[in-house]
């Protein structure tokens, strides 16, 4: 009987099938994160670490392919060893004529073979050695093949650097990523004023329109090089903030239990623009986000924007 130690099955941890799509993997991860995230339920640190490790492996195509090769190999080896028959010691019986024939062979032919230089035992040992070499070389060849596959699939440093430079956000201009925190955007169809915001910076931004009661009534995502018109703004006094970075994704935490953040957070505007909207008056407010930005991440300001809501 053989016991084969298998690695942790990431598909079982995420509770998905081996043919699960990226969307199914994402959905399962979010569901499990709500149940086992340490910030929400203490005592599940190790459990959540495994869930996160499984998600990061299966959501990446290169890592998932490499994991599937190893997983399939382990399963195949386990099945072969479990079904391998147990060799039994053979027993031989001889009739009296066969026994006489065997004794005659031992007395006449075997001495002649030794005199002619034929070593039967040596040949038998050599055959065993060759068989041993073959049994050892097969697993070694399989290991070498897996190594070559992994090296072929492993991205080079130059490719990894290029991918980091060309990272893109997962959402598009005008989308509101924090609706779960701020609620729906507030509109007033009778208002004729509008804001025109041009993002000239090299980063993507999220703009926040905050009223005098510190409530965010509108927030929108703007890709770098794009412009956005914010219309139908209710009358009142507002302050316009923006938060910039590269590669916005809903898989990263901003802080606490707020999901959605940049892979590279860059800047928070500490000097917001003041805007006065009069309902019966048609005004236009034009803002251009600067091309050059200093990396000044005002985390306290960003937390205040969310904590007041």
């Amino acid at each position: 009987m053989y016991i084969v130690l298998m690695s942790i099955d990431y598909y079982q941890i995420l509770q998905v099938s081996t043919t699960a799509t990226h969307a199914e993997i994402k959905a399962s991860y979010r569901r499990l994160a709500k149940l086992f995230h340490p910030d929400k339920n203490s005592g599940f640190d190790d459990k959540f670490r495994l869930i996160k490790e499984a998600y990061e492996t299966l959501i990446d195509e290169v890592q998932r392919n490499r994991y599937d090769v190893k997983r399939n190999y382990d399963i195949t080896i386990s099945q072969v060893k479990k079904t391998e028959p147990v060799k039994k010691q053979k027993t031989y019986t001889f009739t009296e004529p066969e026994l006489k024939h065997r004794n005659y062979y031992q007395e006449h032919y075997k001495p002649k073979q030794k005199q002619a230089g034929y070593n039967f035992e040596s040949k038998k040992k050599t055959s065993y050695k060759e068989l041993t070499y073959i049994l050892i070389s097969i697993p070694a060849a399989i290991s070498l093949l897996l190594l070559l596959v992994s090296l072929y699939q492993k991205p080079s440093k130059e490719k990894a650097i290029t991918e980091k430079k060309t990272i893109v956000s997962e959402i598009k201009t005008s989308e509101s990523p924090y609706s779960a925190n701020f609620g729906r955007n507030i509109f007033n169809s009778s208002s004729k004023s509008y804001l025109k915001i041009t993002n000239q910076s090299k980063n993507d931004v999220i703009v926040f329109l905050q009223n005098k009661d510190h409530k965010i009534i509108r927030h929108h995502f703007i890709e770098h090089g794009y412009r956005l018109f914010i219309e139908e703004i209710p009358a009142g006094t507002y302050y316009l903030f923006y938060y910039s970075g590269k590669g916005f994704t809903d898989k990263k935490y901003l802080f606490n239990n707020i999901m959605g953040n940049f892979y590279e957070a860059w800047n928070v505007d500490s000097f917001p623009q003041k805007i006065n909207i009069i309902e019966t008056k048609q005004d236009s407010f034009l803002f251009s986000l600067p091309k050059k930005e200093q990396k000044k991440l005002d985390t306290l300001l960003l937390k205040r924007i969310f904590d007041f809501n």
Side-chain angles (χ1 to χ4, degrees):
M1 180 177 180
Y2 294 89
I3 299 176
V4 180
L5 297 177
M6 299 290 291
S7 58
I8 298 173
D9 194 330
Y10 289 155
Y11 291 100
Q12 290 183 2
I13 291 174
L14 286 185
Q15 300 178 9
V16 295
S17 67
T18 55
T19 59
T21 63
H22 277 210
E24 292 172 340
I25 292 172
K26 249 187 218 183
S28 182
Y29 171 72
R30 289 177 180 170
R31 178 175 59 79
L32 293 173
K34 290 180 180 179
L35 295 174
F36 299 108
H37 196 282
D39 290 344
K40 294 183 177 181
N41 297 295
S42 60
F44 291 104
D45 294 20
D46 293 338
K47 175 76 173 176
F48 183 71
R49 178 180 58 78
L50 286 175
I51 292 171
K52 187 175 181 182
E53 179 181 319
Y55 171 74
E56 291 175 349
T57 300
L58 299 183
I59 202 67
D60 184 272
E61 289 187 9
V62 173
Q63 293 189 41
R64 183 176 181 179
N65 289 337
R66 192 180 308 160
Y67 171 74
D68 286 344
V69 170
K70 182 179 182 302
R71 179 177 179 273
N72 293 335
Y73 172 73
D74 289 345
I75 292 173
T76 302
I77 294 299
S78 175
Q79 291 174 348
V80 169
K81 290 187 175 181
K82 284 182 179 179
T83 57
E84 184 178 339
V86 178
K87 293 183 179 180
K88 295 183 178 180
Q89 184 68 33
K90 291 183 179 180
T91 57
Y92 298 93
T93 58
F94 301 98
T95 62
E96 187 174 350
E98 289 175 339
L99 186 58
K100 290 181 179 180
H101 179 76
R102 183 179 178 85
N103 291 334
Y104 183 83
Y105 171 79
Q106 295 286 346
E107 292 175 2
H108 294 86
Y109 285 94
K110 197 168 183 181
K112 291 182 180 180
Q113 290 177 349
K114 288 184 178 180
Q115 291 175 3
Y118 182 82
N119 192 337
F120 179 78
E121 294 297 331
S122 175
K123 186 68 177 178
K124 187 176 181 181
K125 290 180 180 178
T126 304
S127 299
Y128 287 152
K129 286 183 179 179
E130 291 176 354
L131 180 60
T132 304
Y133 292 149
I134 292 173
L135 293 176
I136 293 174
S137 62
I138 290 175
I142 294 174
S143 300
L144 180 60
L145 178 61
L146 292 174
L147 178 62
L148 292 175
V149 170
S150 64
L151 290 176
Y152 175 77
Q153 292 181 342
K154 185 177 181 180
S156 63
K157 290 184 179 179
E158 293 181 359
K159 184 177 179 182
I161 293 172
T162 304
E163 289 177 351
K164 186 176 181 181
K165 289 183 179 178
T166 57
I167 189 170
V168 295
S169 297
E170 297 177 357
I171 59 176
K172 300 299 180 183
T173 296
S174 80
E175 293 186 36
S176 302
Y178 297 118
S179 297
N181 304 96
F182 298 127
R184 294 183 178 180
N185 290 322
I186 299 175
F187 298 85
N188 184 354
S189 58
S190 64
S191 175
K192 305 300 181 184
S193 299
Y194 68 88
L195 274 68
K196 176 184 175 183
I197 304 173
T198 303
N199 184 9
Q200 296 180 338
S201 70
K202 297 180 180 179
N203 303 317
D204 298 335
V205 301
I206 301 173
V207 293
F208 303 91
L209 194 61
Q210 186 184 72
N211 65 15
K212 62 180 180 179
D213 297 324
H214 304 290
K215 178 177 177 60
I216 302 297
I217 68 158
R218 302 283 284 276
H219 75 287
H220 299 281
F221 177 84
I222 310 177
E223 299 171 73
H224 65 280
Y226 280 68
R227 65 168 60 98
L228 174 70
F229 288 85
I230 302 180
E231 301 176 311
E232 297 184 359
I233 305 171
T237 300
Y238 300 96
Y239 296 92
L240 181 68
F241 299 88
Y242 69 87
Y243 173 39
S244 68
K246 294 182 184 295
F248 188 89
T249 175
D250 60 358
K251 294 188 284 291
K252 287 181 65 67
Y253 279 98
L254 182 62
F255 41 75
N256 297 337
N257 60 344
I258 299 174
M259 291 296 294
N261 198 3
F262 292 104
Y263 279 109
E264 295 181 7
W266 194 259
N267 181 60
V268 177
D269 180 21
S270 298
F271 302 96
Q273 304 289 337
K274 186 177 181 181
I275 303 166
N276 288 313
I277 302 294
I278 301 174
E279 186 172 357
T280 57
K281 187 177 180 181
Q282 183 174 358
D283 283 331
S284 59
F285 302 88
L286 311 179
F287 299 101
S288 294
L289 304 185
K291 294 181 179 180
K292 295 183 179 180
E293 292 186 16
Q294 295 181 352
K295 190 165 184 179
K296 188 175 64 174
L297 188 59
D298 193 342
T299 306
L300 293 177
L301 173 60
L302 195 59
K303 286 185 176 182
R304 283 201 298 271
I305 291 175
F306 281 84
D307 289 342
F308 277 120
N309 290 271

